[in-house]
Amino acid sequence: QSALTQPASVSGSPGQSITISCTGTSSDIGSYNLVSWYQQHPGKVPKLLIYEVNKRPSEVSNRFSASKSGNTASLTISGVRAEDEADYYCCSYGGGSTLVFGGGTKLTVL
Amino acid sequence: QVRLQESGPGLVKPSQTLSLSCTVFGGSIRNDDYYWSWIRQHPGKGLEWIGYIFYSGTVNYSPSLENRISISVDRSANQFSLKMRSVTAADTAVYFCARVRTVWSGSGSYSRVAHFDSWGQGILVTVSS
């Protein structure tokens, strides 16, 4: 069971849109619509942003959206703001009823 | 609003057993819609899923840790616990407990773990002599 692959870092200027990719395999992302995304600010607890590929909890801003194609999931942040600067993690259900995280992506708002 | 709280020693000696508990407040651990999980985060690193348990006692562990860990549940105390044997400095991390939402099949005959919708604050465990 290998970690999902995310870019180590992405950056964007305020107001821009950024996309973070999360690549797995046919045994996890490719087989199940059970991808979730989490935001973690330094020293804080991870926060659920997206579940079941593209569903958003009611308290999460609609600037956050997500999708999946094949073995790759993507998180898009529209109109990036300074407060969006954080680490982002994807997670997927995988073979053997396991769960696997991505390595995390650090978003820098320029 | 459910709340989870980790407890346990913050310092464990190498080769000993790490023992942590997670108490669930504001909701019952006996709920068919949720599993209960442990996740850790090494200093400055990413999240690592450790394992989860259902209130009935059904467990599932990360293949990379399954030979050293066990997760148990105490329904009367609304708690679940993690034990990790033979720890080394590489086990130094912040340990989170979390609630895992399940998704049921259309027929309702089975469910799959889906996402972590509530987290504890985390507890730093340092392995050092």
Side-chain angles (χ1 to χ4, degrees):
Chain A
Q1 182 200 35
S2 299
L4 307 175
T5 300
Q6 298 180 234
S9 63
V10 297
S11 62
S13 299
Q16 287 185 331
S17 291
I18 65 96
T19 297
I20 298 171
S21 63
C22 170
T23 302
T25 69
S26 58
S27 297
D28 38 62
I29 292 178
S31 289
Y32 306 99
N33 289 324
L34 294 174
V35 180
S36 52
W37 289 88
Y38 304 86
Q39 177 193 59
Q40 186 181 34
H41 287 103
K44 301 297 186 182
V45 177
K47 172 188 175 183
L48 176 66
L49 287 179
I50 298 286
Y51 64 98
E52 293 176 43
V53 176
N54 57 13
K55 297 178 181 179
R56 197 176 50 246
S58 58
E59 66 273 18
V60 173
S61 169
N62 58 10
R63 296 186 299 105
F64 295 91
S65 62
S67 62
K68 187 189 88 166
S69 178
N71 297 337
T72 298
S74 298
L75 173 72
T76 296
I77 308 175
S78 303
V80 165
R81 300 175 180 174
E83 64 257 35
D84 298 331
E85 187 162 288
D87 294 325
Y88 293 83
Y89 295 92
C90 59
C91 180
S92 177
Y93 178 89
S97 299
T98 58
L99 290 159
V100 59
F101 283 101
T105 298
K106 180 178 179 57
L107 168 62
T108 300
V109 180
L110 302 172
Chain B
Q1 181 85 354
V2 73
R3 182 172 65 88
L4 292 81
Q5 180 67 56
E6 303 90 350
S7 59
L11 181 64
V12 182
K13 288 181 166 48
S15 80
Q16 294 192 339
T17 296
L18 177 161
S19 296
L20 297 175
S21 291
C22 180
T23 303
V24 179
F25 298 97
S28 175
I29 206 166
R30 302 177 194 237
N31 189 316
D32 287 347
D33 290 331
Y34 298 102
Y35 281 69
W36 306 91
S37 186
W38 289 97
I39 297 145
R40 70 179 179 179
Q41 186 169 35
H42 294 102
K45 302 296 184 183
L47 301 170
E48 179 184 14
W49 173 68
I50 296 172
Y52 59 70
I53 190 165
F54 195 57
Y55 72 86
S56 63
T58 299
V59 294
N60 202 331
Y61 302 139
S62 168
S64 63
L65 294 169
E66 63 181 347
N67 63 339
R68 291 198 295 131
I69 63 172
S70 63
I71 298 176
S72 59
V73 64
D74 182 343
R75 292 180 292 275
S76 63
N78 225 34
Q79 281 184 344
F80 61 105
S81 300
L82 169 70
K83 289 189 186 299
M84 181 179 293
R85 299 175 292 277
S86 305
V87 297
T88 70
D91 295 309
T92 292
V94 174
Y95 287 76
F96 295 99
C97 60
R99 187 176 74 172
V100 195
R101 188 72 166 89
T102 61
V103 173
W104 286 90
S105 66
S107 65
S109 59
Y110 67 90
S111 67
R112 291 195 170 110
V113 287
H115 55 270
F116 305 97
D117 68 353
S118 187
W119 297 64
Q121 288 300 305
I123 182 169
L124 173 62
V125 178
T126 302
V127 179
S128 175
S129 55

